[in-house]
Amino acid sequence: MMTPLVQRCLAGLLLAGLCGLARAQVPLVVTTTPILADFVREVAGDAVQVESIVPPGVSPRDYEPGEAAVARLARAQALVIQGLDYDAWSEGVAREAGFAGELIVATDRMPLLDLSGREYEMDEGTEIDGEGFDPNTWHDPRKVIHTARVLAVALADLRPAEAAAIEQRAAAFIRALEDVHQHALRRFATLPPERRRMATSLDGFAYLAATYEVQIGLIPGFEPGRQPQPAQMARLIDLIEPLNVPAVFLAAGTSATALRELQEATGVRVVTTLFTDTLGPPGSPDGSYLAQFRRNVDLIVDALK
């Protein structure tokens, strides 16, 4: 006869086994970036497990996937990529991992901006040269709405029993995206046209510029961790002054000396706290796309006033 202690132990082992089985039955969806992982969580909730190859706070441009990325993808039932050659390195990781699951492209059939700012409609079967288009589509929440719909269809196919819940979560996420877009419209509307001008060393703002009618001047040469030489600094200042912008937006980690020289020479505000292609750690002010986009908009508008 089993004692109460043995019964409790057996019950605990059975519960642990059932929980492990339940986790094993939940598909693993791997994304290339933290932003895409956030989109999947918003749409699918607990219907899938989500892991990002690139960790929070790291730019996908600087990331070199290693054995951990291969091991993660070897366990996955689906891979979500941005496409447009943004995360082209994922192809090699998938090949090395022997990945045979579902490939989901966030920008599938999305109307896209080319590098000159022209928009193109993408139909089924359209051939795309990724190098000719701006891949940073998340700087327009309406493009994220498109991605949310792509994810909702693909993830419902992956978890048919959860299709109704996924559809409801996607609808709620889309409403939140519409709200944050309206917030951005209201904030930028407080700026007269002559104040909607910014200079930046950060590329990828074409969608924000087109959506909210902001003129953006790209200034190369301000690289994190590097101090421009005096002659180069003088040329950079000569680039900025004719732009007549209220603020300059540079990458975090830009030389403090360069920032001080730039402010003294031009009198413009300098902002180094924008996120462009990643998220902060979960639970941080920049830990979700919705919070980050709202914060980016507020930082930009407040700096341009």
Side-chain angles (χ1 to χ4, degrees), residues 7-25:
Q7 288 176 334
R8 287 196 297 272
C9 289
L10 288 174
L13 289 171
L14 177 61
L15 180 60
L18 290 173
C19 290
L21 179 62
R23 283 195 297 270
Q25 291 174 340

Side-chain angles (χ1 to χ4, degrees), residues 277-297:
D277 56 7
T278 188
L279 295 179
S284 70
D286 292 289
S288 75
Y289 168 81
L290 290 168
Q292 183 195 92
F293 183 81
R294 184 181 291 266
R295 179 175 174 271
N296 274 355
V297 166

Side-chain angles (χ1 to χ4, degrees), residues 37-249:
D38 184 64
F39 296 165
V40 173
R41 291 188 190 99
E42 289 281 3
V43 171
D46 295 333
V48 301
Q49 303 176 62
V50 188
E51 296 181 11
S52 172
I53 293 177
V54 179
V58 176
S59 170
R61 294 181 176 86
D62 301 330
Y63 184 74
E64 296 183 4
E67 292 182 3
V70 174
R72 182 174 287 119
L73 196 50
R75 298 183 289 110
Q77 283 74 53
L79 169 63
V80 182
I81 68 172
Q82 179 68 8
L84 303 175
D85 292 342
Y86 181 77
D87 37 19
W89 47 262
S90 62
E91 184 177 346
V93 177
R95 185 168 52 251
E96 188 173 350
F99 174 73
E102 181 74 17
L103 177 65
I104 305 169
V105 183
T107 52
D108 183 38
R109 304 189 203 179
M110 179 186 291
L112 299 170
L113 292 178
D114 68 12
L115 297 180
S116 67
R118 289 182 57 192
E119 186 171 75
Y120 289 80
E121 293 289 337
M122 297 297 165
D123 300 320
E124 185 175 3
T126 300
E127 294 288 336
I128 299 176
D129 177 7
E131 294 184 358
F133 293 90
D134 187 333
N136 302 271
T137 56
W138 53 88
H139 290 299
D140 179 351
R142 298 172 304 173
K143 302 301 183 189
V144 182
I145 289 174
H146 180 102
T147 292
R149 290 175 175 145
V150 169
L151 291 173
V153 171
L155 296 173
D157 287 345
L158 193 65
R159 291 299 313 272
E162 302 290 336
I166 289 171
E167 183 178 352
Q168 290 175 357
R169 289 187 63 89
F173 185 37
I174 287 170
R175 287 194 296 272
L177 290 165
E178 290 169 342
D179 287 345
V180 81
H181 171 57
Q182 291 300 318
H183 170 77
L185 287 173
R186 289 191 297 270
R187 289 304 320 270
F188 280 107
T190 65
L191 298 174
E194 65 271 14
R195 304 293 291 186
R196 294 192 196 184
R197 302 167 62 89
M198 57 186 280
T200 180
S201 63
L202 307 164
D203 60 3
F205 283 115
Y207 287 94
L208 185 141
T211 304
Y212 303 111
E213 299 179 352
V214 180
Q215 296 183 47
I216 297 180
L218 191 62
I219 46 172
F222 289 100
E223 299 177 17
R226 294 186 60 184
Q227 167 64 37
Q229 296 299 313
Q232 183 186 21
M233 191 69 195
R235 288 195 297 273
L236 292 172
I237 291 170
D238 287 342
L239 283 175
I240 293 169
E241 288 181 326
L243 296 175
N244 191 29
V245 295
V248 174
F249 300 83

